[in-house]
Amino acid sequence: MKIGKATIPRTAICTSDEHTIVVRGRDLSKDLIGKVSFVEHFFLALTGQLPSSGQAAVLNATLVAITEHGLVPSVQAARMTFAAAPDAMQGAVAAGILGCGSVVLGSSETAGRLFTEIDAKVRTGVGVPEAALAVMQAWRAAGKQIPGYGHPLHKERDERVGALFDVARQAGTDPRFIAIAEAVEALNPQVLKKDLKLNVSGAIPAVLLGAGFPVQALKGVPILARTAGLIAHLFEEISQPIGFALSYQATREMVYDGELPAGFGAHG
Amino acid sequence: MKIGKATIPRTAICTSDEHTIVVRGRDLSKDLIGKVSFVEHFFLALTGQLPSSGQAAVLNATLVAITEHGLVPSVQAARMTFAAAPDAMQGAVAAGILGCGSVVLGSSETAGRLFTEIDAKVRTGVGVPEAALAVMQAWRAAGKQIPGYGHPLHKERDERVGALFDVARQAGTDPRFIAIAEAVEALNPQVLKKDLKLNVSGAIPAVLLGAGFPVQALKGVPILARTAGLIAHLFEEISQPIGFALSYQATREMVYDGELPAGFGAHG
Amino acid sequence: MKIGKATIPRTAICTSDEHTIVVRGRDLSKDLIGKVSFVEHFFLALTGQLPSSGQAAVLNATLVAITEHGLVPSVQAARMTFAAAPDAMQGAVAAGILGCGSVVLGSSETAGRLFTEIDAKVRTGVGVPEAALAVMQAWRAAGKQIPGYGHPLHKERDERVGALFDVARQAGTDPRFIAIAEAVEALNPQVLKKDLKLNVSGAIPAVLLGAGFPVQALKGVPILARTAGLIAHLFEEISQPIGFALSYQATREMVYDGELPAGFGAHG
Amino acid sequence: MKIGKATIPRTAICTSDEHTIVVRGRDLSKDLIGKVSFVEHFFLALTGQLPSSGQAAVLNATLVAITEHGLVPSVQAARMTFAAAPDAMQGAVAAGILGCGSVVLGSSETAGRLFTEIDAKVRTGVGVPEAALAVMQAWRAAGKQIPGYGHPLHKERDERVGALFDVARQAGTDPRFIAIAEAVEALNPQVLKKDLKLNVSGAIPAVLLGAGFPVQALKGVPILARTAGLIAHLFEEISQPIGFALSYQATREMVYDGELPAGFGAHG
């Protein structure tokens, strides 16, 4: 069945013949394996350009920052899935990745869209605080949350934020999205009536956009990072299985608030 | 419901309090962000130890080697899924990862098990060729394939194999699994009656096991690498959508060989 | 980590002790197995009430209507995934379900929201055509599409639409959402400047909402139906494997429009 | 890339033109919608034949039997995923389905293979108990478990087993796999040294194989049934969110048994 107009598949990422695999114009075996790091290769595949050392440093730092946060819901989902289906590690990883949604890890991308919209206004000649205020008010008026601020555990500014900003400064990448992110943070008490501090999902686009990482691919960063973390947890699950222990604990205080048939529980 | 014996979830990978996230005993913000690369961090989360520069070089090289191979089935599945559900990039990545199975990308892990079994025999004092022959014959007798050899496109030895072996030699990691992989390759004409050459899924465990990467986590390497490639393809899909074009092409020569009701196709 | 306010898990769907499993107040083994059909059981689990025979007839009809449409993209994704990972049928089904997105099968749910919004206006005393026009114009002004109309293959009104409306009439369920769906259809030339006819994703909420099916669960109907279709296709894939043939066909006319290294393709 | 030999995709399940969708030789709109139930349609799509009323009764009963068992691990994984990614119900369903693995719900299929193997021996003229003993001993010698017996909660024979056997008897389907399943149960004390009783995953193939359901599609039954249950839970999650409460409870007694940096926890 034909859906949409395009009928010829096109791609500019990779092609190959019997002898050579080409990624973004380079010979994979001769020019890339052993010559570039995995993170540089990811940047190349994504954007078509190898990153500068500064760009690579920033991308590495963001990936390191969100690989792990312990037994978070997506890790629990993955370990429970692996306990039930140990033959299919790919299925358990997939179950974990499916929790990179709009509520938990997706705010990196939406914060990136917020900062990009503010940046577009700044480029028309408006000052950063004025542009930030205008866009924040427009988002609030449209019923949208301001993403990238506040954390259930880290009430003060998450320490990862400062660490990422330090990396960006040392890398010499464009600092203008950091300035935008901090302008939003300063305006939160006024706009949201809450002094919400930058969290890691706000800091990631602040440094990555300045490193030339495309805003539409931002969601890929938590997805890739968490995949690494999930693999570490699934490897631990093999020798120290806790998937079923997690599900047992989760329901110890479970309340059933539905109907019961007559005589239920009277056996013993 | 209690399944299994363990009831207390334990983990040694990560913990945190309001101020600090700890990964494998290190302060994430102070000791890791900006200090280690993403690949080093992955190795740390997985094994508990930071890799040597040689170990990191080998792991980087294997991840670079299998990030991309163009519009392979799992990439097609992911792009079709993204075309149908563009709001959920995580779902399209998950669909692609689910194709890292026993047939296509899982042979890295099974080849790693083969080499580990041969290595265990070598450690009892048997020569490499004898050990390889004995284990290969045992696998064949049990109806199992010899994984890691042959490729539908690359009939000669895949160029990525040599590139990976070069990286391992320069890195100075333990070469003994490369010797085992080459011993199996040399025995293929005798055991399989086919001169199947090492493919990339055979070369990956050959170099990674020598770099101290755990055999039970080998499947994580294609999963992590392909996640990076999938993100690149999904980013391309946003500006150059081909998901539905792929599915249209796939069925242009489709044959329906089932029954038809009377009058089907008579409308005009 | 605590996210959100609720800390005690509650559910009203199912509980059990050593002897009895309770679903929505009924003893599963005594009152449900062999006493109700699977579709009645699904309605019970979802809503807490067993359906009338009319409600069950409508729900059955909608599920039958969208179980199968041949080698659509999600079926292709599932068959490619199963070819690559034949040990994990659940992974291939999951890959197929992940294509039930906003573009392809999700429009049942969004059309249901459209009809519900029109219905709310009608209940304030406005006539159906006026209410439909007002809501359609509001959706268009907000940049939203009118879901449930038009089909890439079925240019006239999809025959499934009439079949579903017939079932609803015979079942005697509330016809008011059918009237709303047809009012929207009649207004399409005026509002969209295109004479788009009702498709199956528009007909499904039109009959299901009248049968008391909750609007927020509408997306579950294509998901459940397609799961049945996917299982049929994966069973066929075991005896007649076409997963890799589909991916081969999909790329026969593939165009690589990226860069190439010097000498690529010169081997011979 | 060409993988495998087949290059032309073939299917016998469904085809369509602009006017008509054909499923297994029937006109979907004229012959199936409103004429057959969803479960009959599933049987038709899968096997090519509409089921008898007895076959449909048995298939309905097995699906009803395993749709729900409360907040089991796969339901927890799905509800956690939906809490994190509420825009993508298909992703949460997929995460739940991925837990239909070899340990938890896959034993229906492996028990079906066990019974089929015993049945093949019986057809050569061996008595049922002798055939069962021989096959059980062969499976044990190969290191395989005897699937379909024992349950963490239901220590006596699960009440669903008797309910399913009653349905099969009333439906008049072939009882020979029930006899085989009970022969294995009677031999468990001798072969396993444990008096493990039939569980629902053993009873499902015992009745379905006698109803002509193909053994290779058995895994589809828990997958389809659980999809219905998952949709009910995700609908409840919308009005009564517990996904994050489950993950909070799961880790309340979590033990971190890894290293800690100096000074961790000293802040306050």
Side-chain angles (χ1 to χ4, degrees):
Chain A
M1 191 187 321
K2 192 167 156 312
I3 311 176
K5 283 174 196 161
T7 55
I8 302 295
R10 294 172 175 278
T11 183
I13 298 174
C14 178
T15 191
S16 57
D17 66 8
E18 196 184 322
H19 302 278
T20 308
I21 299 171
V22 175
V23 179
R24 293 291 190 182
R26 274 107 177 150
D27 181 321
L28 174 60
S29 299
K30 291 201 180 74
D31 305 330
L32 297 169
I33 295 174
K35 308 291 194 306
V36 303
S37 73
F38 175 54
V39 166
E40 290 170 312
H41 191 64
F42 169 52
F43 194 101
L44 171 67
L46 188 78
T47 68
Q49 306 292 331
L50 279 170
S52 69
S53 64
Q55 290 173 310
V58 169
L59 181 51
N60 268 295
T62 58
L63 290 163
V64 168
I66 49 163
T67 293
E68 258 308 312
H69 205 313
L71 297 173
V72 293
S74 58
V75 168
Q76 292 186 32
R79 293 187 77 146
M80 288 180 194
T81 303
F82 200 43
D87 308 323
M89 186 190 271
Q90 75 274 16
V93 173
I97 285 175
L98 288 166
C100 293
S102 55
V103 171
V104 170
L105 286 161
S107 40
S108 277
E109 184 199 8
T110 39
R113 293 186 191 280
L114 175 75
F115 300 161
T116 301
E117 203 174 317
I118 294 170
D119 184 57
K121 218 174 194 68
V122 171
R123 282 158 171 267
T124 67
V126 184
V128 169
E130 294 72 27
L133 183 62
V135 174
M136 288 170 77
Q137 286 172 334
W139 277 48
R140 294 298 290 166
K144 291 193 282 188
Q145 291 199 298
I146 302 299
Y149 298 84
H151 193 278
L153 180 63
H154 310 285
K155 297 296 177 194
E156 295 169 51
R157 212 202 229 190
D158 186 329
E159 294 199 354
R160 292 172 289 179
V161 175
L164 288 173
F165 288 180
D166 285 348
V167 170
R169 264 185 289 269
Q170 285 164 30
T173 49
D174 188 334
R176 75 182 196 269
F177 293 96
I178 296 178
I180 287 170
E182 295 191 320
V184 172
E185 187 180 46
L187 287 162
N188 274 337
Q190 176 184 342
V191 178
L192 305 181
K193 314 298 171 208
K194 279 192 228 165
D195 188 14
L196 295 182
K197 299 300 187 188
L198 265 164
N199 63 31
V200 73
S201 294
I204 286 172
V207 298
L208 277 180
L209 292 173
F213 196 90
V215 63
Q216 290 180 300
L218 276 172
K219 200 169 182 180
V221 171
I223 291 175
L224 182 60
R226 284 298 161 107
T227 300
L230 288 165
I231 293 163
H233 276 280
L234 297 176
F235 176 60
E236 187 182 63
E237 181 73 18
I238 294 171
S239 56
Q240 181 158 291
I242 63 168
F244 292 137
L246 287 165
S247 72
Y248 165 71
Q249 290 286 341
T251 53
R252 279 181 65 194
E253 305 206 18
M254 191 265 274
V255 173
Y256 175 73
D257 55 11
E259 289 174 61
L260 284 172
F264 179 79
H267 286 270
Chain B
M1 193 189 319
K2 194 171 154 308
I3 310 175
K5 284 176 192 159
T7 56
I8 302 296
R10 293 170 176 280
T11 183
I13 298 175
C14 178
T15 191
S16 58
D17 65 9
E18 196 184 321
H19 302 279
T20 308
I21 299 170
V22 175
V23 178
R24 294 290 191 183
R26 272 102 176 155
D27 182 320
L28 174 60
S29 299
K30 292 202 180 72
D31 304 329
L32 297 170
I33 295 174
K35 308 293 195 304
V36 303
S37 73
F38 175 52
V39 166
E40 291 169 312
H41 191 63
F42 170 51
F43 194 100
L44 171 68
L46 188 78
T47 67
Q49 306 293 330
L50 278 171
S52 69
S53 64
Q55 289 174 311
V58 169
L59 181 52
N60 269 294
T62 57
L63 289 163
V64 168
I66 50 163
T67 292
E68 258 308 311
H69 205 313
L71 297 173
V72 293
S74 58
V75 169
Q76 292 186 32
R79 292 187 78 146
M80 288 179 194
T81 303
F82 200 42
D87 309 323
M89 185 190 271
Q90 76 275 15
V93 173
I97 285 175
L98 288 166
C100 293
S102 55
V103 172
V104 170
L105 286 161
S107 40
S108 277
E109 185 199 6
T110 38
R113 293 187 192 279
L114 175 74
F115 301 161
T116 301
E117 203 174 317
I118 294 170
D119 184 57
K121 217 174 195 67
V122 171
R123 283 160 170 266
T124 67
V126 184
V128 169
E130 293 73 27
L133 183 61
V135 174
M136 288 170 78
Q137 286 171 335
W139 278 47
R140 294 296 289 167
K144 291 194 282 189
Q145 292 199 297
I146 301 300
Y149 298 84
H151 193 278
L153 180 61
H154 309 287
K155 297 294 176 196
E156 295 170 50
R157 211 202 229 191
D158 186 328
E159 293 199 355
R160 291 171 290 178
V161 174
L164 288 173
F165 288 180
D166 285 348
V167 170
R169 264 185 289 268
Q170 284 165 30
T173 48
D174 188 334
R176 73 181 197 272
F177 293 96
I178 296 179
I180 288 171
E182 295 192 320
V184 171
E185 188 181 44
L187 287 162
N188 273 337
Q190 177 184 341
V191 178
L192 305 181
K193 315 296 173 209
K194 279 192 228 163
D195 189 15
L196 296 182
K197 299 299 188 189
L198 265 164
N199 63 30
V200 73
S201 294
I204 286 171
V207 299
L208 278 179
L209 292 173
F213 196 89
V215 63
Q216 290 180 302
L218 277 173
K219 199 168 183 181
V221 170
I223 290 175
L224 182 61
R226 284 298 161 108
T227 300
L230 288 165
I231 293 163
H233 276 281
L234 297 176
F235 176 60
E236 187 182 62
E237 181 73 18
I238 294 171
S239 56
Q240 181 158 291
I242 62 167
F244 292 137
L246 286 165
S247 72
Y248 165 70
Q249 289 287 341
T251 53
R252 278 180 65 194
E253 304 205 19
M254 191 266 273
V255 173
Y256 175 73
D257 55 11
E259 290 174 60
L260 286 171
F264 179 79
H267 286 272
Chain C
M1 193 188 319
K2 192 169 155 310
I3 310 176
K5 283 175 193 161
T7 56
I8 302 296
R10 292 171 177 281
T11 183
I13 298 174
C14 179
T15 191
S16 57
D17 66 8
E18 196 184 321
H19 303 277
T20 309
I21 298 170
V22 176
V23 177
R24 293 291 191 184
R26 274 101 175 156
D27 182 320
L28 174 60
S29 299
K30 292 203 181 72
D31 305 330
L32 297 169
I33 295 174
K35 309 292 195 306
V36 304
S37 74
F38 175 53
V39 165
E40 291 170 313
H41 191 64
F42 169 52
F43 194 100
L44 171 67
L46 189 78
T47 68
Q49 306 292 330
L50 278 170
S52 69
S53 64
Q55 290 174 310
V58 169
L59 181 52
N60 269 295
T62 57
L63 289 164
V64 168
I66 49 161
T67 293
E68 256 309 311
H69 205 311
L71 297 174
V72 293
S74 58
V75 169
Q76 293 186 31
R79 293 187 79 145
M80 288 179 193
T81 303
F82 200 42
D87 308 323
M89 185 189 271
Q90 75 276 13
V93 173
I97 285 175
L98 288 167
C100 294
S102 56
V103 171
V104 171
L105 286 161
S107 39
S108 277
E109 185 199 7
T110 39
R113 294 187 191 278
L114 175 75
F115 301 161
T116 301
E117 202 174 318
I118 294 169
D119 184 57
K121 216 172 194 71
V122 171
R123 282 159 171 266
T124 67
V126 184
V128 169
E130 293 73 27
L133 183 62
V135 174
M136 287 170 78
Q137 287 172 334
W139 279 46
R140 295 297 290 167
K144 290 192 283 188
Q145 293 199 297
I146 302 299
Y149 298 84
H151 193 277
L153 181 62
H154 310 286
K155 298 293 177 196
E156 295 170 50
R157 212 202 228 190
D158 186 329
E159 293 199 355
R160 291 171 290 179
V161 174
L164 287 173
F165 288 180
D166 285 348
V167 170
R169 265 185 289 268
Q170 284 164 30
T173 49
D174 188 334
R176 74 181 197 270
F177 293 96
I178 296 178
I180 288 170
E182 295 191 320
V184 172
E185 188 181 45
L187 287 162
N188 273 337
Q190 176 184 342
V191 178
L192 305 182
K193 315 296 172 209
K194 280 192 228 164
D195 189 15
L196 296 182
K197 300 298 187 189
L198 264 164
N199 62 31
V200 74
S201 294
I204 286 171
V207 299
L208 277 179
L209 292 173
F213 196 90
V215 64
Q216 289 180 299
L218 277 172
K219 199 167 184 182
V221 171
I223 290 175
L224 182 60
R226 284 298 161 107
T227 301
L230 288 165
I231 293 163
H233 276 281
L234 297 176
F235 176 59
E236 188 183 61
E237 180 73 17
I238 294 171
S239 56
Q240 182 158 291
I242 62 167
F244 292 137
L246 287 165
S247 71
Y248 166 70
Q249 290 287 341
T251 53
R252 278 181 66 195
E253 305 206 19
M254 191 266 273
V255 173
Y256 175 73
D257 54 11
E259 291 173 59
L260 285 172
F264 179 78
H267 286 272
Chain D
M1 196 187 319
K2 192 169 155 309
I3 311 176
K5 284 176 194 160
T7 56
I8 302 296
R10 293 171 177 280
T11 182
I13 298 174
C14 179
T15 191
S16 58
D17 65 9
E18 195 184 323
H19 302 279
T20 309
I21 299 170
V22 175
V23 178
R24 294 290 190 184
R26 274 108 176 148
D27 182 320
L28 174 60
S29 299
K30 293 201 179 73
D31 304 331
L32 297 169
I33 294 174
K35 310 292 195 305
V36 303
S37 73
F38 175 53
V39 165
E40 291 169 312
H41 191 64
F42 169 51
F43 194 100
L44 171 67
L46 188 77
T47 68
Q49 307 292 331
L50 279 170
S52 69
S53 64
Q55 290 174 309
V58 169
L59 181 52
N60 269 295
T62 57
L63 289 163
V64 168
I66 49 163
T67 293
E68 257 308 312
H69 205 313
L71 297 173
V72 293
S74 57
V75 169
Q76 292 186 31
R79 292 187 79 145
M80 288 180 194
T81 303
F82 200 43
D87 308 323
M89 184 189 271
Q90 75 275 15
V93 173
I97 285 175
L98 288 167
C100 293
S102 55
V103 171
V104 170
L105 286 161
S107 40
S108 278
E109 185 199 8
T110 39
R113 293 186 192 279
L114 175 75
F115 300 162
T116 301
E117 202 174 318
I118 294 170
D119 184 56
K121 218 175 195 67
V122 172
R123 283 158 172 267
T124 67
V126 184
V128 168
E130 292 73 27
L133 184 61
V135 174
M136 288 170 77
Q137 286 172 334
W139 279 46
R140 294 297 289 167
K144 291 193 282 189
Q145 292 199 297
I146 301 300
Y149 298 84
H151 193 278
L153 181 62
H154 309 286
K155 297 294 178 196
E156 294 169 51
R157 212 202 229 189
D158 186 329
E159 293 198 355
R160 291 172 289 179
V161 175
L164 287 173
F165 287 180
D166 286 348
V167 170
R169 265 185 289 267
Q170 285 165 31
T173 49
D174 187 334
R176 74 182 198 271
F177 293 96
I178 296 179
I180 287 170
E182 294 191 321
V184 171
E185 188 182 43
L187 287 162
N188 273 338
Q190 177 184 340
V191 177
L192 305 182
K193 315 297 173 208
K194 280 192 226 163
D195 189 16
L196 295 181
K197 300 299 187 189
L198 264 164
N199 62 31
V200 74
S201 295
I204 285 171
V207 299
L208 277 180
L209 292 173
F213 196 90
V215 64
Q216 290 180 302
L218 277 172
K219 199 169 184 181
V221 171
I223 290 175
L224 182 61
R226 284 298 161 107
T227 300
L230 288 165
I231 293 163
H233 277 280
L234 296 176
F235 176 60
E236 187 183 62
E237 181 73 18
I238 294 170
S239 56
Q240 182 158 292
I242 62 168
F244 292 137
L246 286 165
S247 72
Y248 165 70
Q249 290 287 339
T251 53
R252 278 180 65 195
E253 304 207 18
M254 191 266 274
V255 173
Y256 175 73
D257 55 11
E259 291 173 60
L260 285 172
F264 179 79
H267 286 273

